[in-house]
Amino acid sequence: SQYLYISIMMLRHASLAIALVVPSTVTGFSVPHQQIATPSTTARFSTVVEPTTTNGATATLDSANEMPTAWECDEEAECVEVPVCDEQECRTTLDVRIHGNWYDLSGWRKAHPAGAHWIDWYDGRDATEVMDAFHSKKGQQMYQRLPKSTPETTAILDATVAPYSETEINFRKLRAQLEEDGWWERDMVREATLLGIWGSLVVGAAVTAESAPPLSTFLLALSMTNAGWLGHDYIHGIDKFTDVMRPFAAVAAGLGPTWWSDKHNKHHALTNEMGVDEDIATDPFLFPYV
């Protein structure tokens, strides 16, 4: 058994050495940073190589001065064409599919309220479910104002990206039906009941702090658990009520909304993807890739 232990330890040290030597574009606890040497008319997930004389995905050639242009968008998704930027400083190729249409988000990525990294991860991919689940009604209307990918780029991407499956189509129909039937409407009586339960646990813990410390500790633990789940729903929410209640998790459970929102939403949006889903980034205690 001693020799086996030594062999295992040597193997782990060797693996660590390889991981340190081989460059990686993304880790479990960092935002991927991509450096693109030359512009391409296709998204980074496409296997089709196009000439680099023009940028078909986002840049167009102005016939008057022969200067390529790209898109630049503000926080209201209002976009204008500007001189193309340096690919080392900003993206000029970024195409994302939403409800069957490809959009050029190269100009929107920097204005995206949740950060540019969210847009980057969906380059050349479908983001329909993420758009519907994580965005308010305003956001779901705003994306439709963004510029669409060029017909040439759309044709390339449609040929290389898998079409919607029957399961995806049926799920979206079910979701739309549930929303139409009122299942998305918030029940304020239910919300008051849940907050009342949490408040009762906090009061009970405070009242019994001196007379019955073990009971007080138990009630406080229940209140923290309760606050964690309520905060989970409030931070996930996309309506005005949850906007107001967003700080609840920080006050009642010590849970940072901004940090947790980015971390946990990545888990839902890119579930179990190595290097992105931080819920499985359990190194060095667990190694999910072994």
Side-chain angles (χ1 to χ4, degrees):
S1 59
Q2 181 177 4
Y3 292 112
L4 178 59
Y5 175 79
I6 294 174
S7 299
I8 293 175
M9 292 302 295
M10 291 178 65
L11 180 59
R12 290 187 62 182
H13 284 301
S15 300
L16 178 60
I18 294 174
L20 292 174
V21 172
V22 177
S24 174
T25 59
V26 63
T27 66
F29 297 96
S30 65
V31 175
H33 176 71
Q34 296 200 356
Q35 301 237 341
I36 305 175
T38 58
S40 168
T41 62
T42 60
R44 61 186 169 91
F45 289 103
S46 175
T47 57
V48 179
V49 178
E50 294 291 316
T52 58
T53 53
T54 61
N55 193 326
T58 61
T60 58
L61 199 61
D62 191 311
S63 58
N65 55 18
E66 299 295 315
M67 285 292 293
T69 59
W71 292 104
E72 183 174 291
C73 307
D74 61 18
E75 294 182 354
E76 295 298 320
E78 299 293 343
C79 304
V80 295
E81 285 189 281
V82 297
V84 66
C85 58
D86 183 354
E87 285 265 357
Q88 299 296 328
E89 299 297 329
C90 62
R91 296 290 295 271
T92 57
T93 298
L94 215 170
D95 303 276
V96 179
R97 184 174 64 183
I98 305 174
H99 285 290
N101 294 315
W102 287 97
Y103 292 88
D104 175 3
L105 304 187
S106 58
W108 167 247
R109 62 183 295 274
K110 291 189 292 184
H112 186 238
H117 59 287
W118 279 101
I119 306 295
D120 293 344
W121 281 323
Y122 279 90
D123 186 5
R125 302 174 66 170
D126 186 85
T128 301
E129 270 63 50
V130 173
M131 170 54 66
D132 290 345
F134 293 173
H135 295 81
S136 63
K137 289 297 182 183
K138 178 182 177 181
Q140 293 177 28
Q141 294 172 355
M142 284 174 60
Y143 86 83
Q144 300 179 49
R145 300 201 294 266
L146 295 170
K148 291 186 178 180
S149 303
T150 63
E152 295 81 6
T153 300
T154 298
I156 293 171
L157 291 169
D158 282 340
T160 56
V161 177
Y164 294 135
S165 66
E166 185 176 353
T167 301
E168 288 177 301
I169 295 173
N170 290 335
F171 173 80
R172 290 167 190 170
K173 290 180 180 178
L174 174 61
R175 186 188 185 284
Q177 184 62 51
L178 290 173
E179 185 172 9
E180 183 179 346
D181 291 345
W183 288 93
W184 271 217
E185 296 176 6
R186 190 169 296 279
D187 185 348
M188 298 308 298
V189 175
R190 174 67 174 169
E191 297 295 340
T193 301
L194 294 174
L195 288 171
I197 294 173
W198 167 79
S200 299
L201 292 170
V202 173
V203 171
V207 170
T208 58
E210 294 185 3
S211 59
L215 176 60
S216 176
T217 302
F218 177 70
L219 293 175
L220 184 61
L222 290 180
S223 74
M224 296 289 286
T225 303
N226 194 273
W229 284 113
L230 287 174
H232 172 278
D233 291 349
Y234 294 153
I235 295 174
H236 266 310
I238 55 175
D239 61 357
K240 292 183 178 179
F241 175 77
T242 54
D243 287 344
V244 174
M245 296 299 296
R246 187 179 176 88
F248 175 83
V251 175
L255 186 65
T258 302
W259 165 81
W260 185 85
S261 176
D262 188 73
K263 175 181 181 296
H264 193 64
N265 280 343
K266 280 186 288 188
H267 166 68
H268 284 295
L270 300 156
T271 307
N272 293 339
E273 289 197 20
M274 294 298 302
V276 181
D277 183 355
E278 295 184 14
D279 279 17
I280 62 171
T282 52
D283 304 6
F285 304 106
L286 297 174
F287 296 88
Y289 50 81
V290 172

